[in-house]
Amino acid sequence: MSLPERVTIWEVGPRDGLQNESALVPTATKVAFIRRLVAAGLPVVEATSFVHPTWVPQLADAAEVMAELGDEGRGMPVLVPNERGLDRALELGLEHVAIFGSATETFAQRNLNRGLDEQFAMFEPTVRRAREAGLDVRAYVSMCFGDPWEGDVPIPQVVEVGKRLFDLGASQLSLGDTIGVGTAGHVKELLQAFAAAGMTTDQLAVHFHDTYGQALANAYAALEEGITTFDASAGGLGGCPYAESATGNLATEDLVWMLNGLGIDNGVDLDALVGTSVWMAGELGRPSPSRVVTALA
Amino acid sequence: MSLPERVTIWEVGPRDGLQNESALVPTATKVAFIRRLVAAGLPVVEATSFVHPTWVPQLADAAEVMAELGDEGRGMPVLVPNERGLDRALELGLEHVAIFGSATETFAQRNLNRGLDEQFAMFEPTVRRAREAGLDVRAYVSMCFGDPWEGDVPIPQVVEVGKRLFDLGASQLSLGDTIGVGTAGHVKELLQAFAAAGMTTDQLAVHFHDTYGQALANAYAALEEGITTFDASAGGLGGCPYAESATGNLATEDLVWMLNGLGIDNGVDLDALVGTSVWMAGELGRPSPSRVVTALA
């Protein structure tokens, strides 16, 4: 079984990481964080989210972050939950947005305040207008493996949701194990089901959380299925490992260590990245949950 | 690629875990820990080490632990560094010992005070006398992937050391990534090299440390190579993740979560195990580094 020669790490620390940290990080720190991630070689840095500040106060300064980044930030993806979020991205001249769908009814109701089917009607004008304006659109599919209320999520249901989001005009799906319960065999089955439904590996990304320690093993399983885009969060930002509900993202450094060992080109300067995460941990006032950061710091 | 239907978890928490914890755990606590691990369904619990207390003061009460366990402990493996250690195991009527060899010259010198070649002369009478007395012997091979002084360890060298230890009379080799630097492809190459040298999967076990977050991904890679014996440490005992030199073992709970997800029979009652690790973390006065323990506690 041959693994990909090269992968793209989609860095979500400034968005998915910081939105799940309790600390309110100053705008200037976020901008410095993003710039350091780019300087460390990360090819894609998802910068922020234009979600309503009532829901995610940590990212209430999204417009300020993007304004400060200016031309540097133009190609960076930002999350837009709906048309109002898209409007803000368009005003700033951004080129890449992401929407955040749900693979389950309960999470759609709780996160989007809509049913599983109704989410497509909400996303349709957002994606259409973004594509008409020449923007790339990524579609996150959350709860692809398990759902805290529904338990196991049937693979055909995930494939159907993913396909429908893709057919709206997204260029890539990011399949998320939002609560981190999935294991390597489940990852392979899901990816094989998407392949059987006609989707190619470059149309798919994987997004693992390390809640149950499975994130890197799952990433390895996805590599074996030919996946070449991996979401990860610098320093494992997005959930303290000692918190009651540990929901940290896969740490970018731990992923890079594995990729380097496998000889898979990823473009990241690991020392620079670890330095960035150590600095960010200082800003947040707690150690990084990344094993590599802990070992090399 | 089909995975094994059933695996054996070789629990090393009371030995490899506790010997690397700074706390001195009372004998009664160790005995209670071992009993709880057995009650949680762990089929093999390596109980302690008859190493000289100067080197491992944490396990200075090895004889007391085994005396307290009595018949319960007779089948439990104990580490014996040399003939003096074996004598103590024989006096207690134990049935299973383990020796601890090195795949590298520098670690042999530092850990055994002998050269790479000379270790075999030291182990020969230990293994021979153990076998003559009807005991099973496991041989650990440490530094199979990297060595802190020598860097990468050549695979042919590891295979040669392993084969020589096996040929002395060991029934199983435990291939250890003592410093946790190995990655999944390296694991596969090493296991394939042992297979090419005529060793069968039941003669091999793997022993991963999570220093760089690779332990579970490496375990998955070993499963794909047909390995059915996995060393792990309850709660990830053996190195605080926040210590300067994090050297924690693969947490048994994180391994069990993966095995359960893969549908691989392992006999462990995860809730009972997590309860044991939470209790032990309280005894040690620090949280468990296991993600599963953190999530379920």
Side-chain angles (χ1 to χ4, degrees):
Chain A
M1 187 179 301
S2 74
L3 303 179
E5 289 178 15
R6 176 170 179 75
V7 303
T8 299
I9 299 177
W10 188 291
E11 171 61 46
V12 297
R15 197 276 299 169
D16 194 24
L18 291 183
Q19 86 173 37
N20 289 301
E21 294 286 336
S22 53
L24 289 176
V25 176
T27 305
T29 306
K30 290 174 181 167
V31 171
F33 181 41
I34 292 166
R35 287 185 170 139
R36 288 183 69 151
L37 292 168
V38 171
L42 285 155
V44 183
V45 180
E46 189 164 296
T48 188
S49 170
F50 286 122
V51 68
H52 196 284
T54 304
W55 308 118
V56 185
Q58 294 91 336
L59 303 183
D61 59 354
E64 290 88 332
V65 167
M66 297 317 292
E68 181 67 32
L69 286 168
D71 283 348
E72 285 174 84
R74 213 166 298 281
M76 293 179 186
V78 297
L79 196 73
V80 297
N82 49 35
E83 287 194 82
R84 287 185 300 285
L86 176 65
D87 289 338
R88 297 171 71 193
L90 291 172
E91 282 162 23
L92 285 158
L94 305 185
E95 298 164 354
H96 203 150
V97 293
I99 59 172
F100 194 79
S102 171
T104 70
E105 181 69 32
T106 315
F107 191 66
Q109 292 286 356
R110 290 185 172 245
N111 196 55
L112 306 172
N113 203 27
R114 273 166 184 76
L116 187 59
D117 269 331
E118 298 151 44
Q119 69 181 324
F120 305 107
M122 176 181 75
F123 289 131
E124 190 277 330
T126 308
V127 177
R128 180 174 40 76
R129 288 182 49 217
R131 301 285 286 120
E132 285 168 3
L135 274 66
D136 259 349
V137 180
R138 169 184 246 217
Y140 285 96
V141 189
S142 51
M143 303 296 176
C144 288
F145 294 84
D147 173 293
W149 303 279
E150 300 183 15
D152 280 352
V153 181
I155 285 175
Q157 178 178 325
V158 179
V159 173
E160 193 199 333
V161 168
K163 282 284 285 181
R164 287 181 71 177
L165 290 170
F166 187 75
D167 290 343
L168 289 179
S171 53
Q172 186 176 65
L173 301 179
S174 171
L175 306 174
D177 185 6
T178 315
I179 59 172
V181 295
T183 47
H186 195 162
V187 170
K188 292 193 167 198
E189 283 174 34
L190 182 66
L191 292 172
Q192 287 162 9
F194 270 104
M199 293 199 63
T200 58
T201 51
D202 62 307
Q203 293 167 340
L204 298 170
V206 288
H207 183 109
F208 296 122
H209 283 235
D210 206 32
T211 318
Y212 297 88
Q214 307 299 307
L216 197 66
N218 290 349
Y220 182 69
L223 271 179
E224 290 191 325
E225 294 298 320
I227 295 297
T228 55
T229 305
F230 291 80
D231 295 5
S233 173
L237 277 181
C240 179
Y242 287 12
E244 180 129 335
S245 149
T247 54
N249 284 278
L250 171 59
T252 311
E253 291 86 351
D254 298 11
L255 174 63
V256 169
W257 186 277
M258 182 175 79
L259 294 173
N260 288 349
L262 293 168
I264 297 175
D265 188 15
N266 58 84
V268 175
D269 176 339
L270 186 57
D271 288 338
L273 180 58
V274 168
T276 299
S277 291
V278 169
W279 163 77
M280 196 66 202
E283 297 290 317
L284 292 169
R286 65 153 181 82
S288 163
S290 159
R291 308 292 200 209
V292 168
V293 172
T294 305
L296 295 185
Chain B
M1 188 178 304
S2 74
L3 302 180
E5 289 179 13
R6 177 172 178 75
V7 304
T8 299
I9 298 177
W10 187 291
E11 172 60 46
V12 297
R15 197 275 301 168
D16 194 24
L18 291 184
Q19 85 172 36
N20 289 301
E21 292 286 337
S22 52
L24 289 176
V25 177
T27 304
T29 306
K30 290 175 182 167
V31 171
F33 181 41
I34 291 166
R35 286 183 171 139
R36 288 183 70 151
L37 292 169
V38 171
L42 285 154
V44 182
V45 179
E46 190 165 295
T48 187
S49 170
F50 286 122
V51 69
H52 196 285
T54 304
W55 307 119
V56 184
Q58 294 92 334
L59 304 182
D61 60 354
E64 290 89 330
V65 168
M66 297 316 294
E68 182 68 32
L69 287 168
D71 283 348
E72 285 174 83
R74 215 166 297 282
M76 292 178 187
V78 297
L79 196 73
V80 297
N82 48 35
E83 287 194 81
R84 287 187 301 284
L86 176 64
D87 290 338
R88 298 171 71 190
L90 292 172
E91 282 161 24
L92 286 158
L94 305 184
E95 297 164 353
H96 203 151
V97 293
I99 59 172
F100 195 80
S102 170
T104 69
E105 179 69 33
T106 314
F107 191 65
Q109 292 286 358
R110 290 186 172 243
N111 195 54
L112 306 171
N113 202 26
R114 272 166 185 75
L116 186 60
D117 268 331
E118 297 151 44
Q119 69 180 325
F120 304 108
M122 176 179 77
F123 289 131
E124 190 278 328
T126 308
V127 178
R128 180 175 40 75
R129 289 181 49 215
R131 300 287 286 122
E132 285 168 3
L135 276 66
D136 258 349
V137 181
R138 167 184 249 216
Y140 285 97
V141 188
S142 52
M143 304 295 174
C144 288
F145 293 85
D147 173 292
W149 303 279
E150 300 183 15
D152 281 352
V153 181
I155 284 176
Q157 178 178 324
V158 179
V159 173
E160 194 199 333
V161 168
K163 282 285 284 180
R164 288 181 72 177
L165 290 170
F166 187 74
D167 290 344
L168 288 179
S171 55
Q172 187 176 65
L173 300 179
S174 171
L175 306 174
D177 184 7
T178 315
I179 57 171
V181 294
T183 47
H186 195 162
V187 170
K188 294 195 163 196
E189 283 176 33
L190 182 66
L191 292 171
Q192 287 163 8
F194 270 104
M199 295 200 62
T200 57
T201 51
D202 62 307
Q203 293 166 340
L204 298 170
V206 288
H207 182 108
F208 296 121
H209 284 234
D210 207 31
T211 318
Y212 296 88
Q214 308 298 307
L216 196 67
N218 289 349
Y220 182 69
L223 271 178
E224 290 190 325
E225 294 297 319
I227 295 296
T228 56
T229 305
F230 291 80
D231 296 5
S233 174
L237 278 182
C240 178
Y242 287 10
E244 180 129 335
S245 148
T247 54
N249 284 279
L250 171 60
T252 312
E253 291 87 350
D254 297 12
L255 174 62
V256 169
W257 186 278
M258 182 175 77
L259 294 172
N260 288 350
L262 293 168
I264 296 176
D265 188 16
N266 58 84
V268 175
D269 176 339
L270 186 57
D271 288 338
L273 181 58
V274 167
T276 300
S277 291
V278 168
W279 163 79
M280 196 65 202
E283 297 290 317
L284 292 169
R286 65 155 182 81
S288 163
S290 159
R291 307 292 201 208
V292 169
V293 172
T294 305
L296 296 184

